[in-house]
Amino acid sequence: MQQRLHHLDAARAVLLLLGIPFHVGTTATMILSPGFPAWMANPVLGVGLSFIHSFRMSAFFILAGYFSGMASARRGRRSWLGDRMMRVALPLVASIASLAVIQYHLKVMLSAAWAPGLYGWPLAFEHLWFLIVLLAFIFTYALRPRRAFVPDGVWRPLLGLDRGTWPIPLLALAAWGAGLAWGAQVLGLQDNEAVFEQELLLRYGQYLPAFAIGALGWRLKLGNRLFAFEGRWPWFAAPPLMLGHFLLDPLVRPHLGWEGDPAPALRIVDGALACALTYAMSLIVFRLLAHLFDRPSRTVSFLVDGAMAIYLFHMIVAMLVILGLAKLGAADWPFPTMQWAALSVLVLGLSILVFLVVRRIPLLAVVFGGQRLAPRTRGDASAKTG
């Protein structure tokens, strides 16, 4: 029986909440028009956004795959799917009907260029894509055959957790990433919200290996090794992969005096580097969190409880903060790195306040927090009537 991995609770919260500095930065430089010039010219911001993006969502989907395997095995497919509908599908539907509409109007206030919306609808999904892709992975996993046609011994080397097997996952992931980038070019697929179904298809392909790695980690009972890997190869592999990715990433290239988008052939190379990099970085991040969070923590439990609501609402908070700063003339303020850090902390704090309000209102706690209403007991009813 696998022991409780307390740092995975911290990982779930940290990986979602790292989206706050990422979206604060992208809102001020990509959504706002004109963006804050000092932010756009700041190499620390460009490299920081690229660094966060290099592992955050892949590590999250590794966790999602692992917990999907665990919950499905323990609860049964039907019960697990019902729980996922409550905790993923319901927040998604509620967010599309409310948050996506609010985000659209705020986005248009940041720049009139976003006025067309999503196929003429006043919707801006922004970060909500991850719920759609997560739901797609859930259905994919639910449709897996009950009988394993491939022996577990065949899959194990793909995780690279045994001595001498590390090239296997790196080469497999590099081939997947290169193939995905090549396929996108051949089919003319675009990774932007203007063609949302194409963006979702690319994101599904991009993060499918991560979800599969997590699910395999559970199936092979390798959670203790996957999420606290003591091998050294990720530490040696990550730096050269990261350097290559930085040189090809549109977030970094302008700071090197180059055009943002690399040549088509280089995009395929970047696809290979980025896909391999995400796994090496994920193993490093999980290992670091295992050192930092090796026992239960009230703070971590609070953030885990609030991670969904905080993440869902933080984009609106970030847009409001950036919009307010633009009105105050923040485009001319100095110290962009300090501004980015301070605004990220501010958005986090305000988003936590929103969560505290949401969790006090049962309906909002259910639809935006994925929480179940506690059934009323007979004692509760008699107390009210007594």
Side-chain angles (χ1 to χ4, degrees):
M1 182 175 182
Q2 301 192 70
Q3 66 185 59
R4 172 77 175 180
L5 302 176
H6 296 290
H7 69 282
L8 297 192
D9 292 330
R12 284 192 293 178
V14 168
L15 293 171
L16 280 180
L17 297 183
L18 273 176
I20 292 178
F22 183 80
H23 290 128
V24 167
T26 55
T27 299
T29 58
M30 298 180 185
I31 296 179
L32 177 67
S33 182
F36 292 163
W39 288 42
M40 297 174 70
N42 182 17
V44 175
L45 182 64
V47 171
L49 293 177
S50 180
F51 177 77
I52 293 172
H53 194 55
S54 70
F55 68 89
R56 184 179 69 89
M57 291 310 301
S58 290
F60 171 81
F61 281 117
I62 290 175
L63 282 173
Y66 183 80
F67 284 117
S68 293
M70 177 191 296
S72 177
R74 292 180 176 178
R75 305 181 62 167
R77 293 196 197 196
R78 182 170 298 180
S79 176
W80 167 69
L81 272 176
D83 180 75
R84 293 299 87 191
M85 294 304 100
M86 174 64 70
R87 295 181 181 272
V88 178
L90 182 58
L92 171 61
V93 172
S95 297
I96 292 174
S98 56
L99 304 185
V101 177
I102 298 172
Q103 288 172 180
Y104 165 79
H105 291 289
L106 290 174
K107 199 172 179 181
V108 172
M109 294 173 69
L110 289 164
S111 174
W114 307 109
L118 183 67
Y119 301 118
W121 290 82
L123 297 171
F125 277 77
E126 300 305 316
H127 63 313
L128 299 178
W129 67 263
F130 98 96
L131 285 176
I132 302 175
V133 173
L134 177 58
L135 200 59
F137 287 150
I138 289 170
F139 285 124
T140 301
Y141 190 71
L143 293 173
R144 74 193 187 283
R146 294 186 179 275
R147 178 185 174 185
F149 294 99
V150 179
D152 289 349
V154 175
W155 296 114
R156 185 178 177 113
L158 288 174
L159 298 183
L161 302 178
D162 298 318
R163 183 183 296 273
T165 60
W166 63 267
I168 298 175
L170 291 184
L171 291 174
L173 289 169
W176 180 273
L180 188 65
W182 176 80
Q185 291 183 23
V186 170
L187 298 175
L189 301 179
Q190 301 179 48
D191 187 8
N192 64 70
E193 199 167 303
V195 279
F196 193 49
E197 74 285 354
Q198 295 181 20
E199 179 187 37
L200 291 178
L201 180 61
L202 289 173
R203 297 287 171 86
Y204 181 91
Q206 181 181 359
Y207 296 114
L208 179 60
F211 188 90
I213 286 171
L216 278 175
W218 168 257
R219 174 178 167 178
L220 302 177
K221 300 299 181 283
L222 293 174
N224 291 320
R225 299 191 63 190
L226 179 63
F227 297 113
F229 183 58
E230 296 183 355
R232 296 181 180 179
W233 71 258
W235 300 89
F236 291 109
L241 291 171
M242 182 73 74
L243 178 60
H245 174 58
F246 280 163
L247 295 176
L248 298 173
D249 190 348
L251 291 169
V252 178
R253 287 173 60 85
H255 301 290
L256 301 174
W258 302 335
E259 290 186 6
D261 289 326
L266 292 179
R267 291 180 206 165
I268 296 175
V269 174
D270 187 41
L273 293 174
C275 199
L277 173 63
T278 57
Y279 186 43
M281 282 298 302
S282 296
L283 290 176
I284 291 173
V285 170
F286 290 137
R287 179 59 178 164
L288 292 174
L289 291 174
H291 276 293
L292 294 173
F293 301 96
D294 59 351
R295 58 180 55 88
S297 165
R298 290 185 178 181
T299 301
V300 169
S301 296
F302 172 80
L303 291 175
V304 169
D305 290 341
M308 175 66 83
I310 292 170
Y311 189 76
L312 289 178
F313 282 93
H314 87 272
M315 195 70 198
I316 288 176
V317 175
M319 288 179 171
L320 287 170
V321 169
I322 296 298
L323 187 62
L325 286 179
K327 298 294 185 183
L328 294 174
D332 301 321
W333 292 358
F335 311 115
T337 303
M338 294 179 62
Q339 289 184 52
W340 177 41
L343 290 184
S344 298
V345 172
L346 175 61
V347 171
L348 172 60
L350 294 175
S351 300
I352 289 175
L353 290 178
V354 173
F355 161 62
L356 293 176
V357 172
V358 165
R359 75 172 184 175
R360 293 181 64 88
I361 303 174
L363 179 60
L364 296 182
V366 171
V367 298
F368 290 117
Q371 301 179 18
R372 293 185 180 274
L373 287 173
R376 290 177 57 187
T377 64
R378 182 173 299 179
D380 295 333
S382 61
K384 283 195 171 186
T385 58

